[in-house]
Amino acid sequence: MANTIRMSISTVLIYISLISLLARSSFLTSASVTRFYDFQVNYQQVTRLCNTKSLVSVNGQFPGPTIFAQEGDQLVIKVTNNVKSNVTIHWHGVRQVLTCWSDGPAYITQCPIQTGQSFFYKFTVAGHRGTLFWHAHITWLRATLYGAIVIKPPTKVPYPFQMPSDEHTILLGEWWNGDVEEIEAAALQTGGIPTISNAFTINGQPGPFYNCSAADAYKLNVVQGRTYLLRVVNAALNQDLLFGIARHTLTVIAADAEYTKPLKVSTLVVAPGQTVDVLLTADQAVGNYYMAAIPFVSAPAPFVNTPTTAILQYDGAASTNATPIFPILPANNDTSYGEGFYQSLRSLNSQTYPSDVPQTIDRNLLFTTGFNLKACPSGQTCQGPGGLRLASSINNVSFAFPAISILQAYYYNISGVFTTDFPDNPPTPFDYTGTMPSNPQPESGTKVNVIEYGSNVQLVLQDTSILTLDSHPIHLHGYSFYVVGQGVGNFNPASDESTFNLVDPPLRNTVAFPRAGWVAIRWKADNPGVWFMHCHLESHTSWGMEMAFLVKNGVGRSQTLPPPPYGFPKC
Ligand SMILES: *[C@@H]1O[C@H](CO)[C@@H](O)[C@H](O)[C@H]1NC(C)=O
Ligand SMILES: *[C@@H]1O[C@H](CO)[C@@H](O)[C@H](O)[C@H]1NC(C)=O
Ligand SMILES: *[C@@H]1O[C@H](CO)[C@@H](O)[C@H](O)[C@H]1NC(C)=O
Ligand SMILES: *[C@@H]1O[C@H](CO)[C@@H](O)[C@H](O)[C@H]1NC(C)=O
Ligand SMILES: *[C@@H]1O[C@H](CO)[C@@H](O)[C@H](O)[C@H]1NC(C)=O
Ligand SMILES: [Cu+2]
């Protein structure tokens, strides 16, 4: 009782301070504005593919609400959990400078927001221009709990490209008729491949190539001659995608909320966790054109092979027009197109937006990233290859989630939650892309790799042939990193480092290394906290393809992680 009263008084106090913050910000003419969002996590009845199901969404919207910010703004998002599942929200790509507590991955930086609880996520959006997204970061809930984050330059700061007539978000997603949390749990139980999705979606809609989906397809209306900014997000769980619009060229101007040199392409390659902003000029005959996304596959894995589509409709085109024209897309398995696309991206590196690629390295890391097989518990039958269980790992460590968050354990000196021995190099070197080692079993552990504040880190992510070669989109929390090089085969520092682009490489938060190859990334570790790094294919994360960096505090308040915010979820 006393606790309840104390809680509600404190909640009132938070509201009062919030209101005063909001009031104060309206008098400021500079960039520092606080924007408040109220996210109510609820069940919503949604019909797709002739099926109706109850899914978890925010404020009765699927996909969820778009968060708008200008660079430099503070965001305060109150997330209230009104569903049975535990929930956390991650602000994907946001650097969270000194706000690691608000990053969101469950059991890494926080315990879940449990049923009936609320938590105020509070952070500043600094150093980003373009599109990011938010999504649940617990189990597979992000299948339905996601939305865009649109970050505009401060007032009076122009875009470094043609001012578009209008802007639209294009959220690519993945739909299951069943309950995604049950599907994940069932796959972990059997050790086999999880049930594949029933559809891919554009802004939540599969489009006319799927049953019962024609009427609700997303339509984008354009006026001939005008130019539009499309903010494309891959929020799918388990699939890299190719995206194109019939007869229209797309000019990439940003990726992962960082400006790029303009790059004209017919098809975008977007891995889960990545965003690509493009300019689209409506320069074709008045009519209807399909925009379509299809799977981009680099390993033999099952997927639904029906394109998700939406319609680009010119003003003046008859809505009863003949069937829209379909785009010409590369083949699903055209991995050389994908590698070429990624290699063509360059950061803008202009006078106003210079690149600051680390030129010297303090920590040199090589992480093998791939699949494994684990023994089947006795008395059980497992559905992985050879009757075993599928697993995955980084440097042979298959990540085990702890019962309380690593950040909490670190901050409060709670022992027995994690260890600090995540290896800098593969524990047993082998021919990574050659014949697989005879023992495909990983080690299991909750290990972090400790980094001194301010270190320049180089990390090479190396594919392995264990089970199958594949391309994995690896996402790092808390930082953007420069993608300085990529190649096929085993990384060889002697010959490969000389090919690195240390001038204008793209700055990203998620990178897909080539199948049977490697990618090299660099960043300055100047943000203290516990930062998750994981494959953004959710099924691979379920199997253990993740780890965390523990970046130590530096000197003084500006380099030290503050205490957790009030009302931090406990477990
Ligand atoms: C549409 O429904 C039919 C009949 O159930 C099924 O055979 C077909 O695969 C479905 N098509 C798609 C694209 O899901
Ligand atoms: C892609 O698939 C086609 C058809 O299955 C096959 O002929 C081709 O060799 C594959 N290409 C690559 C690059 O794997
Ligand atoms: C944790 O341990 C460190 C080093 O011993 C100490 O400085 C710090 O105050 C401790 N933190 C807490 C919350 O006890
Ligand atoms: C991975 O760790 C397991 C368990 O310690 C070990 O048996 C296996 O040989 C290791 N594999 C590699 C490639 O290091
Ligand atoms: C929710 O999280 C708490 C804290 O970790 C845990 O004890 C509980 O079992 C979880 N509940 C569900 C439904 O997963
Ligand atoms: Cu993966």
Side-chain angles (χ1 to χ4, degrees), residues 91-233:
W91 319 94
H92 181 110
V94 172
R95 285 197 191 118
Q96 300 290 4
V97 176
L98 301 182
T99 53
C100 190
W101 300 104
S102 283
D103 190 38
Y107 303 109
I108 305 299
T109 63
Q110 71 167 95
C111 292
I113 305 168
Q114 298 185 39
T115 312
Q117 294 182 345
S118 297
F119 176 53
F120 289 82
Y121 289 92
K122 192 168 159 186
F123 52 88
T124 300
V125 181
H128 289 294
R129 306 104 192 165
T131 311
L132 295 172
F133 69 123
W134 58 266
H135 61 75
H137 214 304
I138 186 166
T139 66
W140 279 20
L141 271 184
R142 73 176 181 87
T144 59
L145 267 181
Y146 65 91
I149 304 178
V150 169
I151 305 160
K152 299 212 180 186
T155 310
K156 291 183 184 154
V157 175
Y159 287 136
F161 47 82
Q162 181 188 354
M163 186 67 187
S165 298
D166 208 348
E167 304 187 358
H168 301 276
T169 52
I170 306 285
L171 290 158
L172 308 176
E174 203 167 357
W175 172 268
W176 275 261
N177 287 334
D179 177 312
V180 288
E181 291 195 285
E182 286 170 14
I183 288 165
E184 183 195 19
L188 291 175
Q189 173 69 29
T190 65
I193 290 177
T195 307
I196 63 164
S197 56
N198 301 94
F200 295 100
T201 55
I202 295 179
N203 289 341
Q205 297 292 346
F209 292 78
Y210 287 93
N211 293 327
C212 309
S213 302
D216 296 320
Y218 173 69
K219 274 201 182 70
L220 175 59
N221 293 100
V222 295
V223 174
Q224 194 184 37
R226 291 196 185 162
T227 294
Y228 299 85
L229 175 57
L230 304 188
R231 301 170 177 278
V232 182
V233 177

Side-chain angles (χ1 to χ4, degrees), residues 250-275:
L250 304 172
T251 306
V252 178
I253 46 80
D256 295 0
E258 300 294 343
Y259 291 138
T260 61
K261 292 196 172 71
L263 174 68
K264 285 187 191 303
V265 294
S266 56
T267 305
L268 305 180
V269 184
V270 202
Q274 294 184 329
T275 70

Side-chain angles (χ1 to χ4, degrees), residues 22-44:
L22 289 172
R24 208 170 35 173
S25 64
S26 63
F27 293 112
L28 295 177
T29 48
S30 73
S32 97
V33 166
T34 297
R35 298 176 194 260
F36 179 70
Y37 284 85
D38 187 9
F39 273 27
Q40 296 290 328
V41 179
N42 287 315
Y43 292 110
Q44 185 188 353

Side-chain angles (χ1 to χ4, degrees), residues 368 372 395-397 426-430 437 439-444 466:
T368 50
N372 301 94
N395 270 354
N396 202 41
V397 184
T428 320
F430 59 100
N439 177 9
Q441 180 122 351
E443 179 186 348
S444 171
I466 303 178

Side-chain angles (χ1 to χ4, degrees), residues 84-86 107 111-112 114 138 403 570-571:
K84 289 197 192 107
S85 308
N86 283 331
Y107 303 109
C111 292
Q114 298 185 39
I138 186 166
K570 294 197 172 61
C571 59

Side-chain angles (χ1 to χ4, degrees), residues 364-368 425-426 430-433 458-463 484-500 516-520 522:
N364 216 325
L365 309 172
L366 174 66
F367 288 3
T368 50
N425 291 285
F430 59 100
D431 178 4
Y432 307 118
T433 50
Q458 173 171 301
L459 167 61
V460 174
L461 293 158
Q462 170 73 58
D463 191 18
V484 296
Q486 67 180 61
V488 292
N490 298 337
F491 176 68
N492 178 351
S495 53
D496 291 330
E497 282 187 359
S498 62
T499 68
F500 285 179
W518 54 268
V519 69
R522 287 188 180 192

